[in-house]
Amino acid sequence: PMKLALGMKVVRADNGGPVEWSHAIIRWAIPGAFSLIPIPVLPGLANLVIVIVSLVFIFTKPTRQAVWDMIAKTLVVKSR
């Protein structure tokens, strides 16, 4: 919903076509899988690390892809 409100959409990185279910599941599963990793010292530390790494990638890489976008081979682009 936020991407629609901000005029963005997710497309495939290889051809700019629509995202298939496999891409969408991978994009959602990566952050979810990291949140399930049990860390006894600080719960949610793995999720925090992946978010910080993704923010660094978003602001330093030319394609501005987060970790889950690189794994799923997707891009977030302006739709308007």
Side-chain angles (χ1 to χ4, degrees):
M2 265 327 269
K3 283 186 183 45
L4 285 174
L6 296 174
M8 296 187 278
K9 66 180 180 176
V10 179
V11 296
R12 292 174 50 177
D14 56 356
N15 63 6
V19 175
E20 297 174 359
W21 279 103
S22 60
H23 298 101
I25 290 170
I26 291 170
R27 284 189 88 238
W28 280 92
I30 299 304
F34 279 102
S35 67
L36 294 175
I37 296 173
I39 298 176
V41 177
L42 181 63
L45 182 63
N47 204 14
L48 179 65
V49 168
I50 197 75
V51 168
I52 291 172
V53 169
S54 291
L55 286 173
V56 169
F57 284 174
I58 287 170
F59 291 110
T60 60
K61 300 258 184 203
T63 57
R64 299 181 62 116
Q65 288 177 297
V67 173
W68 45 84
D69 286 321
M70 287 188 277
I71 294 171
K73 297 181 177 90
T74 58
L75 292 171
V76 178
V77 296
K78 290 183 180 181
S79 62
R80 313 183 211 177

